[in-house]
Amino acid sequence: MNDRLLRALRREPVDCTPVWFMRQAGRYMAEYRAIRSKYTLLEICDRPEVTAEVTLQPVRLGVDACILFADILLPLAPMGCPFSFEKGEGPVLHKPIVKASDVDELRLIDPRESLSHVLEGVRLSKRELAGKLPLIGFAGAPFTLASYLLEGGKSAHFLKTKRFMIEHPEAWEKLMVKLSTVVADLLIAQIDAGADVVQLFDSWVGQLSPHDYTTYVLPHVQGIFEKLQARNVPTIHFGTGTATLLEHMATCKSSAVGLDWRMPFAKGWETIGHEKAVQGNLDPCMLFAPPEKLFAAADRILAEAGGRNGHVFNVGHGILPETDPGVVKALVDHVHERSKR
Ligand code: CP3
């Protein structure tokens, strides 16, 4: 097995820096678009054999891991909040949470039953990877999931989410407990189905002040990583816009923290502490720059990582749909070559 990713996440020496990309399976790849012309996103996620096929598509780019093809919103439907993906709008929740008592209606699910197709997708992807590359499982973090439940879709200011958090602290607490329970169970079930690593996506948490993060969110995320300790697989804690939250995120028992490009890499790692691994942090827009500028940006990140054990190269947020897969492959090769120990 190519175990660079696992070794880096455990801060063990590697032959070169491992690379994978958030959203590495997706619309920028022609072979993904071919599948999407036959199935909707949710149909791909419902069919384990299609899930596995899409999960493995980025292998040809030379990446050091595959990430399960799924979506952070999948647990919300069986919990009682169905949603769909509308063209140009992103996710739309059909019954967003509006009042405090709506939280009581949310069902606590057993992912092994309600999301058995996702777990079958993990098992099939593992089988098809045949031990060549590690498989990353994932889930959305409670704040980011709550933001979709409360906003009903994407949001600019997260006003409904923040109002609910401040006006209904008891219902917010119940919501966080329910979501954290489901998320931890789902991640553990993915590990038991074969995931070698799991990543928690708290994509929108950077919207919060450090005070509100530590008061309303952090204890629940700490609890999730605490539960994951029992399985002893590496874990990644990712968010964006987290420069002022990193010191608090670092108190969670994750193996690694994901950094976006707004935080200089070396400063970010110092803030997190060198006893954790770090993932990041190229601006995904740099994949549109002329090759010499793209490679220079990658080299700056590698220089800031300074050859220290525990760096996983990635973008600071998902690959954009307009990206050229040829550039992605060239970047993977460049990082591997430049980081050779
Ligand atoms: O390759 C991978 O990274 C695995 C697949 C993956 C998807 N969603 C498939 C998907 C992953 C890891 C996710 C996570 C996810 N989903 C997040 C966290 C990561 C992040 O980007 O911050 C979030 C916030 C979501 C919710 C979500 N799903 C949104 C906001 C959208 C619409 C965005 C858009 O570009 O239209 C989705 C849809 C979605 N999930 C797509 C993919 C490939 C694109 C739609 C499509 O193919 O039709």
Side-chain angles (χ1 to χ4, degrees):
M1 155 115 92
N2 166 350
D3 64 350
R4 275 176 204 138
L5 174 73
L6 303 175
R7 294 183 63 84
L9 290 171
R10 295 193 215 102
R11 290 186 307 117
E12 293 165 4
V14 284
D15 59 338
C16 63
T17 301
V19 191
W20 70 280
F21 299 96
M22 290 182 281
R23 288 284 172 95
Q24 66 184 17
R27 283 170 296 185
Y28 76 104
M29 291 185 90
E31 52 270 58
Y32 174 78
R33 291 195 302 274
I35 300 266
R36 268 293 271 117
S37 67
K38 290 187 264 175
Y39 304 101
T40 65
L41 181 70
L42 293 180
E43 284 168 348
I44 300 176
C45 299
D46 271 345
R47 291 167 170 71
E49 61 296 350
V50 188
T51 297
E53 181 180 349
V54 175
T55 298
L56 267 69
Q57 283 177 344
V59 170
R60 74 162 172 92
L61 303 175
V63 290
D64 294 298
C66 282
I67 178 163
L68 176 73
F69 191 84
D71 197 90
I72 60 163
L73 303 180
L74 296 182
L76 302 183
M79 290 181 80
C81 290
F83 60 89
S84 48
F85 290 101
E86 308 291 341
K87 222 176 160 50
E89 264 184 86
V92 176
L93 282 279
H94 302 166
K95 281 193 307 179
I97 292 177
V98 280
K99 50 186 195 305
S101 63
D102 290 347
V103 174
D104 299 324
E105 308 296 312
L106 274 185
R107 284 190 289 274
L108 272 180
I109 54 162
D110 177 355
R112 290 171 209 264
E113 284 175 16
S114 316
L115 297 168
S116 56
H117 51 289
V118 174
L119 301 173
E120 192 52 30
V122 173
R123 282 186 281 268
L124 259 186
S125 302
K126 269 295 275 192
R127 198 174 314 148
E128 290 180 19
L129 279 167
K132 287 195 201 83
L133 288 182
L135 179 68
I136 304 170
F138 71 92
F143 175 82
T144 293
L145 290 176
S147 79
Y148 284 102
L149 286 172
L150 286 154
E151 305 290 335
K154 66 173 183 215
S155 171
H157 300 291
F158 295 82
L159 178 59
K160 290 178 182 148
T161 308
K162 292 181 185 180
R163 280 191 67 172
F164 194 90
M165 188 176 85
I166 304 298
E167 288 172 12
H168 306 290
E170 284 169 16
W172 174 265
E173 177 74 15
K174 274 196 222 163
L175 177 58
M176 289 292 105
V177 169
K178 278 191 175 174
L179 290 170
S180 308
T181 304
V182 169
V183 163
D185 288 350
L186 173 58
L187 291 173
I188 287 172
Q190 289 182 28
I191 293 167
D192 292 346
D196 301 288
V197 173
V198 289
Q199 173 157 323
L200 188 70
F201 281 92
D202 214 346
S203 305
W204 311 132
V205 79
Q207 289 288 335
L208 291 176
S209 69
H211 171 272
D212 289 351
Y213 179 64
T214 53
T215 307
Y216 297 107
V217 176
L218 181 63
H220 303 284
V221 183
Q222 285 171 333
I224 293 171
F225 284 108
E226 193 68 50
K227 283 191 188 169
L228 293 175
Q229 292 277 96
R231 288 302 189 274
N232 205 23
V233 309
T235 57
I236 307 168
H237 185 185
F238 168 77
T240 69
T242 53
T244 61
L245 306 183
L246 289 175
E247 60 181 291
H248 306 297
M249 290 170 73
T251 64
C252 295
K253 288 180 176 157
S254 70
S255 319
V257 175
L259 275 186
D260 79 11
W261 60 93
R262 297 166 189 91
M263 189 62 168
F265 189 91
K267 193 167 170 218
W269 203 346
E270 206 183 299
T271 309
I272 291 157
H274 294 141
E275 53 300 324
K276 273 196 200 304
V278 168
Q279 175 172 284
N281 72 341
L282 185 75
D283 183 341
C285 293
M286 283 311 295
L287 285 145
F288 298 81
E292 66 280 7
K293 292 202 172 159
L294 165 64
F295 294 156
D299 291 350
R300 282 196 295 276
I301 294 171
L302 292 173
E304 290 199 45
R308 180 182 280 118
N309 292 339
H311 178 210
V312 176
F313 191 95
N314 205 316
V315 275
H317 203 173
I319 287 217
L320 298 167
E322 300 81 7
T323 307
D324 174 352
V327 172
V328 175
K329 175 150 197 342
L331 176 61
V332 173
D333 293 344
H334 177 85
V335 171
H336 283 160
E337 184 57 38
R338 262 321 148 86
S339 62
K340 253 191 201 137
R341 309 294 202 265

